[in-house]
Amino acid sequence: YFECFFWAILALELVFSVLIVNFVNYTEIDWVAYMQEVEGFLNGELDYMKLEGQTGPLVYPGGFVYLYSLFYWITDKGSNILLGQYIFVGLYVLFIAFLLKIYQATQPFPPYLVLLLCVSRRIHSIFMLRLFNDCWAMLFLYISVYLFINNRYSLGCFFFSVAVSIKMNVLLFAPGLFFVLLKRFGFFRTIPKLFICLVIQILAGLPFLLSFPRSYFLRSFDFGRQFMFKWTVNLKFLPEDVFLDKRVATALLLCHLVVLFLFLSRMLEGGVISSFLRSFHSPISSTKYLSSSSSSS
């Protein structure tokens, strides 16, 4: 039943995505800027402070630079946008495939609910009409989740770090991953998994770290960067001055951390702090709910 549904969804998505590419106008937002940013790198510039495009400075880690340098070459310096769109069609179908496999592993989740994702105008636009680097970052993230579900933790950490090397916002998943590793391995056996993540980040940034390390850290992992109001979707209801207020960004980050803490407090026996301390001796014990969810995976 699921396999039939799986291939039917992928086939429909492939056809629908090709139709979008051919009949919906491409929207230029970041593609030209991406090409300008990596062109500087391909011309030999390793100082992140000097790598920029029409929308501003390069603010993504080294993995992004290598990935879009490849696109720069494949698409004739970014001029063949249609070819880029077709590459993203394949990327999108692969993205949906991994998402479906994750849903399958978390049964009894009804697989037909993925149709809500497939009819999303926004996600199709982000992939086929924008060519954002978010698409690649999230694909590698979901590949890592799929590997974690299948107890391939080392390889999962590799792909998680690859995702971070393309766009820093994947780090928002890091606290959850950290406690998943603690639950599975305990503190000391978690360290080698974190080391895998660290090595990938060093390799991704190595040419820049050897030449201009400060520039690389300040730009590729700029935690103080301000998001432009005109590009927001979820917070469009806020006045622009409120949206740009750093206190709002700080409050949102704190809310994120509080929700994580409350969730883990609910899921972990004895609470977050005591569970963390116990992880120095053995893997973390979870509540019945989390244990049953993990075993079903």
Side-chain angles (χ1 to χ4, degrees):
Y1 160 69
F2 182 86
E3 288 301 316
C4 294
F5 176 83
F6 176 82
W7 291 109
I9 286 291
L10 295 188
L12 289 172
E13 281 287 24
L14 177 59
V15 172
F16 188 47
S17 298
V18 170
L19 290 175
I20 290 174
V21 169
N22 283 277
F23 294 101
V24 181
N25 291 332
Y26 163 79
T27 305
E28 172 53 44
I29 296 180
D30 281 335
W31 176 259
V32 172
Y34 290 166
M35 296 299 105
Q36 292 170 341
E37 290 163 359
V38 301
E39 185 175 44
F41 165 72
L42 293 172
N43 288 334
E45 182 60 68
L46 296 176
D47 186 351
Y48 253 58
M49 291 296 180
K50 297 179 181 179
L51 295 173
E52 58 184 22
Q54 65 182 16
T55 59
L58 172 60
V59 293
Y60 306 118
F64 162 86
V65 176
Y66 309 136
L67 177 62
Y68 277 82
S69 292
L70 179 62
F71 289 141
Y72 182 90
W73 176 72
I74 292 175
T75 62
D76 190 19
K77 300 180 180 180
S79 61
N80 192 344
I81 296 175
L82 182 61
L83 176 57
Q85 288 182 280
Y86 278 117
I87 292 173
F88 272 74
V89 167
L91 169 68
Y92 175 70
V93 173
L94 187 61
F95 171 85
I96 293 297
F98 274 100
L99 202 54
L100 284 170
K101 286 297 183 181
I102 292 171
Y103 286 167
Q104 181 187 23
T106 55
Q107 289 180 354
F109 189 94
Y112 59 79
L113 289 184
V114 79
L115 291 173
L116 297 176
L117 174 65
C118 296
V119 298
S120 167
R121 175 185 175 184
R122 185 179 177 188
I123 193 169
H124 288 92
S125 175
I126 287 172
F127 275 82
M128 272 69 75
L129 303 179
R130 304 290 197 272
L131 313 184
F132 285 158
N133 62 330
D134 306 68
C135 306
W136 293 94
M138 294 309 296
L139 170 65
F140 288 122
L141 173 67
Y142 282 126
I143 290 175
S144 72
V145 171
Y146 176 76
L147 290 167
F148 294 144
I149 290 173
N150 288 279
N151 293 313
R152 303 287 300 278
Y153 286 92
S154 295
L155 194 56
C157 286
F158 170 85
F159 279 101
F160 178 83
S161 194
V162 169
V164 173
S165 78
I166 295 173
K167 192 162 187 180
M168 183 187 68
N169 62 354
V170 177
L171 281 175
L172 290 171
F173 295 87
L177 172 59
F178 179 62
F179 272 91
V180 166
L181 294 174
L182 288 180
K183 178 183 181 297
R184 178 66 175 81
F185 299 105
F187 181 81
F188 293 106
R189 291 178 61 203
T190 291
I191 293 176
K193 310 303 180 187
L194 299 180
F195 184 72
I196 293 173
C197 297
L198 176 62
V199 168
I200 298 303
Q201 293 308 306
I202 292 174
L203 292 176
L206 192 58
F208 311 102
L209 291 171
L210 292 176
S211 304
F212 301 94
R214 186 172 183 274
S215 296
Y216 181 73
F217 279 117
L218 289 177
R219 280 286 168 81
S220 62
F221 293 96
D222 183 3
F223 292 95
R225 184 163 64 96
Q226 184 74 58
F227 191 72
M228 297 177 67
F229 179 73
K230 67 178 180 178
W231 299 126
T232 185
V233 175
N234 297 327
L235 298 178
K236 204 73 174 181
F237 63 91
L238 293 175
E240 184 171 358
D241 60 326
V242 175
F243 176 84
L244 295 175
D245 192 326
K246 289 188 178 297
R247 292 173 295 181
V248 174
T250 303
L252 289 173
L253 179 59
L254 289 175
C255 288
H256 176 74
L257 295 175
V258 167
V259 170
L260 284 176
F261 184 85
L262 293 175
F263 174 79
L264 289 171
S265 296
R266 174 74 174 175
M267 294 296 102
L268 301 176
E269 291 182 357
V272 177
I273 297 176
S274 61
S275 295
F276 176 73
L277 294 175
R278 288 199 308 272
S279 72
F280 284 85
H281 305 286
S282 62
I284 293 177
S285 299
S286 60
T287 62
K288 179 180 178 181
Y289 172 81
L290 191 56
S291 296
S292 60
S293 299
S294 299
S295 60
S296 65
S297 299

